[in-house]
Amino acid sequence: MTPGDKLLLAVSLSQAVDQLARAGVARRYPDASPRERFLRIATIRLGRDLALQVYPEIADLQAP
C-alpha cells in the first residue's frame, strides 16, 4: 500500500466516523437545531471540558 493509498484510507475512515457521529446525534436529538447538533458533535470530538472552554453555551444543553 502506497503512502497515498494510506492517506486516502485514513481520510475515508475519518469521514465515516464523522458521518456516524452526526447520524447518532440526529437520531438521539431529532428536534435539535443545527447549532445544538453542532455543539453536541463538538462535545463528542473534543470532550466536554475542552468543548465547554471553546463553546461555553454547551453548559446550557440538557445532558443526554
Side-chain angles (χ1 to χ4, degrees), residues 15-34:
Q15 289 173 340
V17 168
D18 182 62
Q19 289 174 351
L20 287 171
R22 289 177 187 276
V25 168
R27 187 172 185 194
R28 285 189 297 265
Y29 306 97
D31 298 328
S33 69

Side-chain angles (χ1 to χ4, degrees), residues 47-62:
R48 185 160 176 84
D49 292 339
L50 179 57
L52 274 168
Q53 290 178 19
V54 179
Y55 306 105
E57 65 199 279
I58 286 174
D60 298 333
L61 296 178
Q62 283 186 318

